[in-house]
Amino acid sequence: MTAKIISGREVAEQILTTDLKNKVIALNEKNIKPKLVVVLVGDVKASASYVAQKEKFAVKAGIESEVRRFKKDVTEDEILTVIDNINNDKSIHGVIVQLPLPDHISVAKVLNRIHPSKDVDGFTPTNVGKLFLGEDTLVSCTPKGIMQMLASTGTNLTGKNVTVVGRSNIVGKPVAILCLQQHATVTMCHSRTKDLNAKLADADIVIVAVGIPKFIHGDQIPEGSIVIDVGIHNIDGKLCGDVDFDSASIKASSITPVPGGVGPMTVCALIENTIIAAERIG
């Protein structure tokens, strides 16, 4: 078996240029112009690359975007003041603070300062709590993008066995909740799980976000399963994910590539959340 590639680039392009663009046009007719602000601290090459992609996707959907850049020695209080000003600016509908931040700035303090209505990353305790309770909220971008990729395959999650490898607050936990909300049976695993192979054996869908290069190999993947690889690593100048693509693609029915898989969908979800935030004030 050779797995079908689930292209995040293609799915994102479809969402951005049709559904989201039409929503922006409708908002513009009400004189509402969705706007996203990205706060970027320091000079991290990977962060700059992600921000550039966010700007590119914003243009495709037709929303406004602004990057506010600060030197790495900016104080925590200065960044908190920036967040306060954004919270009070009615022309701004979404804000994200690009991580990582310098060690002298508390990530928790900064993220918690963002008003939940503008938390388009879906990281604030309010939005995480609403997600857990099944209430309408701004859903964390990577989990949201994963669910859209699964939907693009035509998969109905009802009754499916989903094994999530990784328990982060950003990906593992929220994507497990989203799968449960679609009536899947979810098994949560991580790098310290005993007999991981046994936990994977019955999986219809495997979502890997453990942060370890090529942690999952093809011999662990059930025949015909769908594999979503969230990881991205640079090993000797080559990008790879948390899954060994070559061996896994022989066993899986569908698989996401790295790069070009989950990454573009994360950015697409960010743009969509900004539009949702703008619609709520309309």
Side-chain angles (χ1 to χ4, degrees):
M1 175 183 293
T2 300
K4 179 181 178 181
I5 303 300
I6 309 172
S7 172
R9 289 194 180 104
E10 292 181 5
V11 178
E13 182 77 14
Q14 175 68 19
I15 294 172
L16 285 165
T17 58
T18 55
D19 183 46
L20 297 188
K21 195 166 187 177
N22 288 336
K23 288 182 177 181
V24 172
I25 291 171
L27 284 167
N28 288 344
E29 290 175 351
K30 298 179 182 179
N31 203 30
I32 299 171
K33 297 181 178 180
K35 181 174 180 179
L36 169 69
V37 172
V38 179
V39 176
L40 180 61
V41 180
D43 186 21
V44 179
K45 186 176 180 180
S47 294
S49 176
Y50 293 145
V51 168
Q53 189 174 38
K54 291 176 176 74
E55 291 181 295
K56 180 180 177 182
F57 278 30
V59 170
K60 286 187 176 183
I63 76 168
E64 295 183 17
S65 67
E66 176 188 345
V67 181
R68 298 190 183 180
R69 293 177 168 85
F70 300 88
K71 294 181 179 179
K72 64 181 180 180
D73 60 355
V74 66
T75 68
E76 182 177 273
D77 285 343
E78 286 174 319
I79 293 299
L80 292 175
T81 298
V82 168
I83 299 300
D84 289 340
N85 291 336
I86 291 171
N87 286 339
N88 293 323
D89 189 335
K90 293 182 179 180
S91 71
I92 298 171
H93 305 96
V95 57
I96 70 163
V97 178
Q98 186 65 48
L99 303 179
L101 290 172
D103 292 341
H104 67 279
I105 299 177
S106 166
V107 173
K109 277 187 181 180
V110 171
L111 296 183
N112 290 343
R113 196 70 160 247
I114 298 171
H115 194 279
S117 67
K118 298 188 179 188
D119 169 34
V120 288
D121 253 338
F123 288 168
T124 59
T126 295
N127 286 331
V128 172
K130 285 184 175 182
L131 174 63
F132 185 88
L133 294 171
E135 297 179 6
D136 186 33
T137 189
L138 294 171
V139 177
S140 301
C141 296
T142 298
K144 182 174 186 172
I146 290 170
M147 301 307 290
Q148 290 173 325
M149 294 184 86
L150 288 172
S152 76
T153 68
T155 302
N156 183 343
L157 267 64
T158 299
K160 290 290 193 298
N161 294 323
V162 178
T163 299
V164 179
V165 186
R167 53 182 169 176
S168 73
N169 293 329
I170 294 174
V171 182
K173 293 176 185 176
V175 81
I177 294 296
L178 290 173
C179 289
L180 285 170
Q181 289 174 357
Q182 292 196 21
H183 313 298
T185 299
V186 179
T187 300
M188 287 291 295
C189 302
H190 45 81
S191 61
R192 295 179 179 84
T193 296
K194 293 182 179 180
D195 199 2
L196 179 60
N197 290 357
K199 306 296 190 298
L200 289 164
D202 295 327
D204 300 302
I205 298 165
V206 180
I207 301 171
V208 189
V210 73
I212 301 173
K214 299 185 179 181
F215 184 74
I216 298 295
H217 292 264
D219 57 3
Q220 299 170 283
I221 298 294
E223 191 81 31
S225 60
I226 297 173
V227 178
I228 307 291
D229 187 354
V230 181
I232 186 163
H233 312 275
N234 191 323
I235 307 296
D236 298 327
K238 294 183 179 180
L239 295 178
C240 69
D242 289 353
V243 176
D244 180 64
F245 181 87
D246 290 342
S247 61
S249 60
I250 297 172
K251 297 284 292 295
S253 62
S254 300
I255 190 170
T256 59
V258 177
V262 174
M265 292 304 302
T266 297
V267 182
C268 180
L270 174 69
I271 302 302
E272 182 173 10
N273 279 350
T274 303
I275 294 167
I276 291 170
E279 287 176 331
R280 288 177 176 174
I281 69 164

mmCIF file of all heavy atoms in Angstrom, residues 158-199:
data_model
loop_
_atom_site.group_PDB
_atom_site.id
_atom_site.type_symbol
_atom_site.label_atom_id
_atom_site.label_comp_id
_atom_site.label_asym_id
_atom_site.label_seq_id
_atom_site.Cartn_x
_atom_site.Cartn_y
_atom_site.Cartn_z
ATOM 1 N N THR A 158 -17.070 9.151 13.982
ATOM 2 C CA THR A 158 -17.957 8.421 14.891
ATOM 3 C C THR A 158 -17.525 6.958 15.020
ATOM 4 O O THR A 158 -17.467 6.226 14.030
ATOM 5 C CB THR A 158 -19.407 8.483 14.397
ATOM 6 O OG1 THR A 158 -19.834 9.853 14.355
ATOM 7 C CG2 THR A 158 -20.325 7.707 15.335
ATOM 8 N N GLY A 159 -17.201 6.562 16.251
ATOM 9 C CA GLY A 159 -16.813 5.183 16.512
ATOM 10 C C GLY A 159 -15.387 4.829 16.135
ATOM 11 O O GLY A 159 -14.939 3.705 16.405
ATOM 12 N N LYS A 160 -14.658 5.756 15.519
ATOM 13 C CA LYS A 160 -13.293 5.466 15.111
ATOM 14 C C LYS A 160 -12.358 5.463 16.330
ATOM 15 O O LYS A 160 -12.574 6.186 17.310
ATOM 16 C CB LYS A 160 -12.800 6.508 14.113
ATOM 17 C CG LYS A 160 -13.455 6.437 12.741
ATOM 18 C CD LYS A 160 -13.015 5.205 11.977
ATOM 19 C CE LYS A 160 -13.406 5.266 10.502
ATOM 20 N NZ LYS A 160 -14.846 5.335 10.273
ATOM 21 N N ASN A 161 -11.313 4.651 16.258
ATOM 22 C CA ASN A 161 -10.283 4.640 17.297
ATOM 23 C C ASN A 161 -9.176 5.618 16.909
ATOM 24 O O ASN A 161 -8.525 5.443 15.873
ATOM 25 C CB ASN A 161 -9.689 3.239 17.453
ATOM 26 C CG ASN A 161 -10.697 2.241 17.981
ATOM 27 O OD1 ASN A 161 -11.531 2.576 18.829
ATOM 28 N ND2 ASN A 161 -10.644 1.009 17.498
ATOM 29 N N VAL A 162 -8.989 6.636 17.738
ATOM 30 C CA VAL A 162 -7.958 7.645 17.494
ATOM 31 C C VAL A 162 -6.900 7.546 18.575
ATOM 32 O O VAL A 162 -7.225 7.622 19.771
ATOM 33 C CB VAL A 162 -8.556 9.069 17.484
ATOM 34 C CG1 VAL A 162 -7.448 10.106 17.280
ATOM 35 C CG2 VAL A 162 -9.627 9.201 16.406
ATOM 36 N N THR A 163 -5.660 7.361 18.182
ATOM 37 C CA THR A 163 -4.564 7.362 19.139
ATOM 38 C C THR A 163 -3.757 8.636 18.957
ATOM 39 O O THR A 163 -3.248 8.910 17.866
ATOM 40 C CB THR A 163 -3.644 6.138 18.956
ATOM 41 O OG1 THR A 163 -4.419 4.950 19.164
ATOM 42 C CG2 THR A 163 -2.502 6.163 19.965
ATOM 43 N N VAL A 164 -3.687 9.426 20.029
ATOM 44 C CA VAL A 164 -2.927 10.673 20.025
ATOM 45 C C VAL A 164 -1.629 10.431 20.785
ATOM 46 O O VAL A 164 -1.655 10.021 21.947
ATOM 47 C CB VAL A 164 -3.719 11.822 20.687
ATOM 48 C CG1 VAL A 164 -2.895 13.110 20.700
ATOM 49 C CG2 VAL A 164 -5.050 12.037 19.969
ATOM 50 N N VAL A 165 -0.504 10.684 20.136
ATOM 51 C CA VAL A 165 0.792 10.526 20.779
ATOM 52 C C VAL A 165 1.346 11.929 21.030
ATOM 53 O O VAL A 165 1.776 12.610 20.110
ATOM 54 C CB VAL A 165 1.768 9.702 19.920
ATOM 55 C CG1 VAL A 165 3.063 9.444 20.689
ATOM 56 C CG2 VAL A 165 1.132 8.378 19.498
ATOM 57 N N GLY A 166 1.317 12.352 22.284
ATOM 58 C CA GLY A 166 1.691 13.714 22.646
ATOM 59 C C GLY A 166 0.606 14.325 23.498
ATOM 60 O O GLY A 166 -0.582 14.188 23.181
ATOM 61 N N ARG A 167 1.000 14.988 24.578
ATOM 62 C CA ARG A 167 -0.001 15.482 25.544
ATOM 63 C C ARG A 167 0.135 16.967 25.834
ATOM 64 O O ARG A 167 -0.223 17.446 26.911
ATOM 65 C CB ARG A 167 0.155 14.689 26.844
ATOM 66 C CG ARG A 167 1.583 14.696 27.381
ATOM 67 C CD ARG A 167 1.738 13.873 28.629
ATOM 68 N NE ARG A 167 3.139 13.689 28.977
ATOM 69 C CZ ARG A 167 3.562 13.071 30.072
ATOM 70 N NH1 ARG A 167 2.681 12.591 30.931
ATOM 71 N NH2 ARG A 167 4.842 12.937 30.309
ATOM 72 N N SER A 168 0.631 17.733 24.875
ATOM 73 C CA SER A 168 0.817 19.162 25.098
ATOM 74 C C SER A 168 -0.522 19.881 25.202
ATOM 75 O O SER A 168 -1.549 19.404 24.688
ATOM 76 C CB SER A 168 1.639 19.785 23.972
ATOM 77 O OG SER A 168 0.869 19.882 22.784
ATOM 78 N N ASN A 169 -0.495 21.039 25.842
ATOM 79 C CA ASN A 169 -1.695 21.865 25.951
ATOM 80 C C ASN A 169 -2.048 22.510 24.616
ATOM 81 O O ASN A 169 -3.183 22.944 24.414
ATOM 82 C CB ASN A 169 -1.487 22.961 26.996
ATOM 83 C CG ASN A 169 -1.352 22.408 28.397
ATOM 84 O OD1 ASN A 169 -1.934 21.379 28.726
ATOM 85 N ND2 ASN A 169 -0.570 23.076 29.235
ATOM 86 N N ILE A 170 -1.072 22.577 23.711
ATOM 87 C CA ILE A 170 -1.272 23.259 22.437
ATOM 88 C C ILE A 170 -1.843 22.325 21.380
ATOM 89 O O ILE A 170 -2.648 22.734 20.540
ATOM 90 C CB ILE A 170 0.062 23.872 21.951
ATOM 91 C CG1 ILE A 170 0.501 24.993 22.903
ATOM 92 C CG2 ILE A 170 -0.058 24.420 20.530
ATOM 93 C CD1 ILE A 170 1.882 25.550 22.588
ATOM 94 N N VAL A 171 -1.449 21.045 21.417
ATOM 95 C CA VAL A 171 -1.895 20.118 20.371
ATOM 96 C C VAL A 171 -2.574 18.872 20.954
ATOM 97 O O VAL A 171 -3.754 18.628 20.716
ATOM 98 C CB VAL A 171 -0.725 19.683 19.459
ATOM 99 C CG1 VAL A 171 -1.266 18.752 18.364
ATOM 100 C CG2 VAL A 171 -0.045 20.875 18.836
ATOM 101 N N GLY A 172 -1.816 18.061 21.695
ATOM 102 C CA GLY A 172 -2.305 16.749 22.116
ATOM 103 C C GLY A 172 -3.624 16.767 22.856
ATOM 104 O O GLY A 172 -4.586 16.069 22.476
ATOM 105 N N LYS A 173 -3.704 17.555 23.918
ATOM 106 C CA LYS A 173 -4.929 17.583 24.717
ATOM 107 C C LYS A 173 -6.117 18.151 23.952
ATOM 108 O O LYS A 173 -7.203 17.539 23.929
ATOM 109 C CB LYS A 173 -4.687 18.353 26.016
ATOM 110 C CG LYS A 173 -3.718 17.663 26.970
ATOM 111 C CD LYS A 173 -3.448 18.530 28.191
ATOM 112 C CE LYS A 173 -2.389 17.901 29.098
ATOM 113 N NZ LYS A 173 -2.043 18.781 30.240
ATOM 114 N N PRO A 174 -5.974 19.334 23.308
ATOM 115 C CA PRO A 174 -7.150 19.865 22.602
ATOM 116 C C PRO A 174 -7.614 19.024 21.418
ATOM 117 O O PRO A 174 -8.805 18.910 21.172
ATOM 118 C CB PRO A 174 -6.706 21.267 22.155
ATOM 119 C CG PRO A 174 -5.225 21.291 22.286
ATOM 120 C CD PRO A 174 -4.874 20.320 23.351
ATOM 121 N N VAL A 175 -6.661 18.403 20.674
ATOM 122 C CA VAL A 175 -7.125 17.600 19.543
ATOM 123 C C VAL A 175 -7.846 16.342 20.035
ATOM 124 O O VAL A 175 -8.790 15.862 19.388
ATOM 125 C CB VAL A 175 -5.954 17.239 18.594
ATOM 126 C CG1 VAL A 175 -5.133 16.054 19.094
ATOM 127 C CG2 VAL A 175 -6.489 16.938 17.193
ATOM 128 N N ALA A 176 -7.458 15.835 21.199
ATOM 129 C CA ALA A 176 -8.173 14.704 21.784
ATOM 130 C C ALA A 176 -9.611 15.094 22.115
ATOM 131 O O ALA A 176 -10.557 14.335 21.850
ATOM 132 C CB ALA A 176 -7.450 14.216 23.041
ATOM 133 N N ILE A 177 -9.789 16.286 22.672
ATOM 134 C CA ILE A 177 -11.124 16.782 23.006
ATOM 135 C C ILE A 177 -11.970 16.931 21.741
ATOM 136 O O ILE A 177 -13.146 16.539 21.695
ATOM 137 C CB ILE A 177 -11.040 18.131 23.749
ATOM 138 C CG1 ILE A 177 -10.371 17.958 25.117
ATOM 139 C CG2 ILE A 177 -12.427 18.753 23.903
ATOM 140 C CD1 ILE A 177 -11.137 17.083 26.076
ATOM 141 N N LEU A 178 -11.376 17.492 20.693
ATOM 142 C CA LEU A 178 -12.113 17.691 19.445
ATOM 143 C C LEU A 178 -12.548 16.361 18.834
ATOM 144 O O LEU A 178 -13.655 16.242 18.301
ATOM 145 C CB LEU A 178 -11.255 18.474 18.450
ATOM 146 C CG LEU A 178 -11.006 19.947 18.802
ATOM 147 C CD1 LEU A 178 -10.007 20.564 17.828
ATOM 148 C CD2 LEU A 178 -12.308 20.741 18.798
ATOM 149 N N CYS A 179 -11.686 15.355 18.915
ATOM 150 C CA CYS A 179 -12.043 14.029 18.405
ATOM 151 C C CYS A 179 -13.163 13.407 19.235
ATOM 152 O O CYS A 179 -14.083 12.784 18.694
ATOM 153 C CB CYS A 179 -10.821 13.115 18.390
ATOM 154 S SG CYS A 179 -9.585 13.530 17.136
ATOM 155 N N LEU A 180 -13.103 13.574 20.553
ATOM 156 C CA LEU A 180 -14.168 13.078 21.426
ATOM 157 C C LEU A 180 -15.500 13.737 21.088
ATOM 158 O O LEU A 180 -16.554 13.092 21.106
ATOM 159 C CB LEU A 180 -13.813 13.344 22.889
ATOM 160 C CG LEU A 180 -12.750 12.440 23.519
ATOM 161 C CD1 LEU A 180 -12.335 12.994 24.876
ATOM 162 C CD2 LEU A 180 -13.267 11.015 23.667
ATOM 163 N N GLN A 181 -15.440 15.036 20.764
ATOM 164 C CA GLN A 181 -16.666 15.752 20.430
ATOM 165 C C GLN A 181 -17.289 15.236 19.137
ATOM 166 O O GLN A 181 -18.484 15.418 18.901
ATOM 167 C CB GLN A 181 -16.381 17.255 20.330
ATOM 168 C CG GLN A 181 -16.094 17.904 21.678
ATOM 169 C CD GLN A 181 -15.666 19.353 21.556
ATOM 170 O OE1 GLN A 181 -15.513 19.888 20.463
ATOM 171 N NE2 GLN A 181 -15.447 20.009 22.689
ATOM 172 N N GLN A 182 -16.480 14.575 18.307
ATOM 173 C CA GLN A 182 -17.006 13.968 17.081
ATOM 174 C C GLN A 182 -17.218 12.463 17.263
ATOM 175 O O GLN A 182 -17.271 11.709 16.299
ATOM 176 C CB GLN A 182 -16.078 14.265 15.902
ATOM 177 C CG GLN A 182 -16.078 15.740 15.531
ATOM 178 C CD GLN A 182 -15.483 16.005 14.161
ATOM 179 O OE1 GLN A 182 -15.412 15.125 13.308
ATOM 180 N NE2 GLN A 182 -15.054 17.236 13.948
ATOM 181 N N HIS A 183 -17.304 12.041 18.529
ATOM 182 C CA HIS A 183 -17.706 10.682 18.902
ATOM 183 C C HIS A 183 -16.669 9.612 18.571
ATOM 184 O O HIS A 183 -17.020 8.447 18.378
ATOM 185 C CB HIS A 183 -19.052 10.324 18.261
ATOM 186 C CG HIS A 183 -20.086 11.394 18.405
ATOM 187 N ND1 HIS A 183 -20.559 11.813 19.631
ATOM 188 C CD2 HIS A 183 -20.714 12.175 17.481
ATOM 189 C CE1 HIS A 183 -21.437 12.774 19.459
ATOM 190 N NE2 HIS A 183 -21.544 13.023 18.166
ATOM 191 N N ALA A 184 -15.401 10.004 18.529
ATOM 192 C CA ALA A 184 -14.334 9.018 18.385
ATOM 193 C C ALA A 184 -13.984 8.456 19.756
ATOM 194 O O ALA A 184 -14.296 9.050 20.796
ATOM 195 C CB ALA A 184 -13.092 9.662 17.762
ATOM 196 N N THR A 185 -13.339 7.309 19.771
ATOM 197 C CA THR A 185 -12.776 6.743 20.993
ATOM 198 C C THR A 185 -11.293 7.078 20.994
ATOM 199 O O THR A 185 -10.564 6.666 20.086
ATOM 200 C CB THR A 185 -12.970 5.218 21.036
ATOM 201 O OG1 THR A 185 -14.371 4.935 21.006
ATOM 202 C CG2 THR A 185 -12.349 4.628 22.299
ATOM 203 N N VAL A 186 -10.871 7.845 21.998
ATOM 204 C CA VAL A 186 -9.523 8.416 21.976
ATOM 205 C C VAL A 186 -8.621 7.764 23.016
ATOM 206 O O VAL A 186 -8.994 7.616 24.180
ATOM 207 C CB VAL A 186 -9.572 9.939 22.219
ATOM 208 C CG1 VAL A 186 -8.155 10.530 22.216
ATOM 209 C CG2 VAL A 186 -10.428 10.626 21.153
ATOM 210 N N THR A 187 -7.434 7.385 22.583
ATOM 211 C CA THR A 187 -6.388 6.883 23.476
ATOM 212 C C THR A 187 -5.257 7.907 23.489
ATOM 213 O O THR A 187 -4.732 8.273 22.436
ATOM 214 C CB THR A 187 -5.839 5.530 22.992
ATOM 215 O OG1 THR A 187 -6.905 4.588 22.945
ATOM 216 C CG2 THR A 187 -4.745 5.024 23.923
ATOM 217 N N MET A 188 -4.918 8.393 24.683
ATOM 218 C CA MET A 188 -3.844 9.375 24.829
ATOM 219 C C MET A 188 -2.551 8.670 25.212
ATOM 220 O O MET A 188 -2.501 7.921 26.191
ATOM 221 C CB MET A 188 -4.203 10.399 25.909
ATOM 222 C CG MET A 188 -5.272 11.393 25.512
ATOM 223 S SD MET A 188 -4.717 12.564 24.256
ATOM 224 C CE MET A 188 -3.454 13.459 25.144
ATOM 225 N N CYS A 189 -1.494 8.942 24.447
ATOM 226 C CA CYS A 189 -0.172 8.378 24.735
ATOM 227 C C CYS A 189 0.866 9.493 24.733
ATOM 228 O O CYS A 189 0.573 10.632 24.359
ATOM 229 C CB CYS A 189 0.200 7.332 23.683
ATOM 230 S SG CYS A 189 -0.960 5.959 23.546
ATOM 231 N N HIS A 190 2.086 9.136 25.117
ATOM 232 C CA HIS A 190 3.179 10.116 25.144
ATOM 233 C C HIS A 190 4.501 9.372 25.144
ATOM 234 O O HIS A 190 4.533 8.132 25.018
ATOM 235 C CB HIS A 190 3.058 11.037 26.356
ATOM 236 C CG HIS A 190 2.754 10.331 27.635
ATOM 237 N ND1 HIS A 190 3.725 9.709 28.388
ATOM 238 C CD2 HIS A 190 1.579 10.111 28.278
ATOM 239 C CE1 HIS A 190 3.166 9.155 29.449
ATOM 240 N NE2 HIS A 190 1.860 9.374 29.412
ATOM 241 N N SER A 191 5.584 10.099 25.305
ATOM 242 C CA SER A 191 6.910 9.492 25.172
ATOM 243 C C SER A 191 7.219 8.469 26.266
ATOM 244 O O SER A 191 8.107 7.631 26.108
ATOM 245 C CB SER A 191 7.994 10.574 25.180
ATOM 246 O OG SER A 191 7.974 11.308 26.399
ATOM 247 N N ARG A 192 6.479 8.523 27.372
ATOM 248 C CA ARG A 192 6.721 7.586 28.475
ATOM 249 C C ARG A 192 5.667 6.474 28.552
ATOM 250 O O ARG A 192 5.657 5.694 29.507
ATOM 251 C CB ARG A 192 6.784 8.340 29.806
ATOM 252 C CG ARG A 192 7.975 9.299 29.899
ATOM 253 C CD ARG A 192 7.973 10.045 31.240
ATOM 254 N NE ARG A 192 9.103 10.946 31.367
ATOM 255 C CZ ARG A 192 9.162 12.180 30.902
ATOM 256 N NH1 ARG A 192 8.119 12.671 30.236
ATOM 257 N NH2 ARG A 192 10.229 12.938 31.075
ATOM 258 N N THR A 193 4.799 6.400 27.572
ATOM 259 C CA THR A 193 3.775 5.356 27.557
ATOM 260 C C THR A 193 4.417 3.975 27.443
ATOM 261 O O THR A 193 5.282 3.749 26.599
ATOM 262 C CB THR A 193 2.813 5.572 26.372
ATOM 263 O OG1 THR A 193 2.118 6.808 26.551
ATOM 264 C CG2 THR A 193 1.806 4.438 26.270
ATOM 265 N N LYS A 194 3.987 3.060 28.317
ATOM 266 C CA LYS A 194 4.484 1.687 28.254
ATOM 267 C C LYS A 194 3.722 0.907 27.181
ATOM 268 O O LYS A 194 2.508 1.035 27.057
ATOM 269 C CB LYS A 194 4.328 1.011 29.621
ATOM 270 C CG LYS A 194 5.222 1.605 30.706
ATOM 271 C CD LYS A 194 5.058 0.867 32.022
ATOM 272 C CE LYS A 194 5.968 1.455 33.099
ATOM 273 N NZ LYS A 194 5.809 0.741 34.402
ATOM 274 N N ASP A 195 4.456 0.102 26.438
ATOM 275 C CA ASP A 195 3.892 -0.724 25.366
ATOM 276 C C ASP A 195 3.069 0.121 24.401
ATOM 277 O O ASP A 195 1.875 -0.130 24.158
ATOM 278 C CB ASP A 195 3.041 -1.854 25.948
ATOM 279 C CG ASP A 195 2.827 -2.996 24.946
ATOM 280 O OD1 ASP A 195 3.376 -2.905 23.827
ATOM 281 O OD2 ASP A 195 2.106 -3.952 25.284
ATOM 282 N N LEU A 196 3.721 1.141 23.856
ATOM 283 C CA LEU A 196 3.064 2.040 22.908
ATOM 284 C C LEU A 196 2.512 1.287 21.703
ATOM 285 O O LEU A 196 1.438 1.611 21.186
ATOM 286 C CB LEU A 196 4.051 3.120 22.452
ATOM 287 C CG LEU A 196 3.552 4.140 21.432
ATOM 288 C CD1 LEU A 196 2.355 4.907 21.972
ATOM 289 C CD2 LEU A 196 4.680 5.104 21.055
ATOM 290 N N ASN A 197 3.231 0.272 21.263
ATOM 291 C CA ASN A 197 2.777 -0.496 20.099
ATOM 292 C C ASN A 197 1.382 -1.076 20.303
ATOM 293 O O ASN A 197 0.557 -1.096 19.385
ATOM 294 C CB ASN A 197 3.767 -1.620 19.789
ATOM 295 C CG ASN A 197 5.084 -1.100 19.244
ATOM 296 O OD1 ASN A 197 5.238 0.104 19.040
ATOM 297 N ND2 ASN A 197 6.036 -1.984 19.016
ATOM 298 N N ALA A 198 1.113 -1.540 21.517
ATOM 299 C CA ALA A 198 -0.201 -2.110 21.820
ATOM 300 C C ALA A 198 -1.285 -1.041 21.749
ATOM 301 O O ALA A 198 -2.417 -1.304 21.323
ATOM 302 C CB ALA A 198 -0.193 -2.761 23.196
ATOM 303 N N LYS A 199 -0.937 0.177 22.162
ATOM 304 C CA LYS A 199 -1.907 1.283 22.136
ATOM 305 C C LYS A 199 -2.194 1.731 20.705
ATOM 306 O O LYS A 199 -3.263 2.257 20.417
ATOM 307 C CB LYS A 199 -1.368 2.471 22.946
ATOM 308 C CG LYS A 199 -0.946 2.163 24.372
ATOM 309 C CD LYS A 199 -2.105 1.711 25.221
ATOM 310 C CE LYS A 199 -1.731 1.633 26.702
ATOM 311 N NZ LYS A 199 -0.648 0.661 26.991
#
